[in-house]
Amino acid sequence: MNDELTRRDEMSLAGAALRGAPWKAAAVTGGAVAAASFGMGVILPGAANLTWALSLGIGLFTLIAAVGSISRPKVADRVTRQARLWALRHPWRFSLYPALGAAALMYPVQLVVDNEGVFGAALDALQGGVAVYLITAVLALTLRGRGQSSLPHGG
């Protein structure tokens, strides 16, 4: 029997792990940071950058949702628990999906708000997604110990 998961299986597991994410806290924090970042740009000397503020808010929203969803692996229904434990076992694979979501949300901001071309906006959104990917994976690696007692040996 082949134990390898397909991309579709991994996406399903990542989605199930994110099911219990703290979405309200992530949205409030991301929105507040975006507003504060833009507000500081208005108050302090220099130009306020709406694109930077929105991208920062999107990145923080995604990070809080992703890390918050796996921070308590044993709190949820059985399917979500198993998905969260998979995410802790495979932090680099899990982190790919929140990063893709962040890049997808940043792309229209870069394209419309910043008036960049299609390729410039894609490159900037990709850079934001890579930052979310790396930070999420590193934080998931540090949280890995929370699920160790529940992980089957050899996984």
Side-chain angles (χ1 to χ4, degrees), residues 43-72:
I43 294 170
L44 297 176
N49 192 337
L50 182 60
T51 304
W52 166 254
L54 290 174
S55 293
L56 181 64
I58 289 168
L60 197 57
F61 164 76
T62 308
L63 282 170
I64 290 172
V67 174
S69 70
I70 60 172
S71 65
R72 297 180 306 170

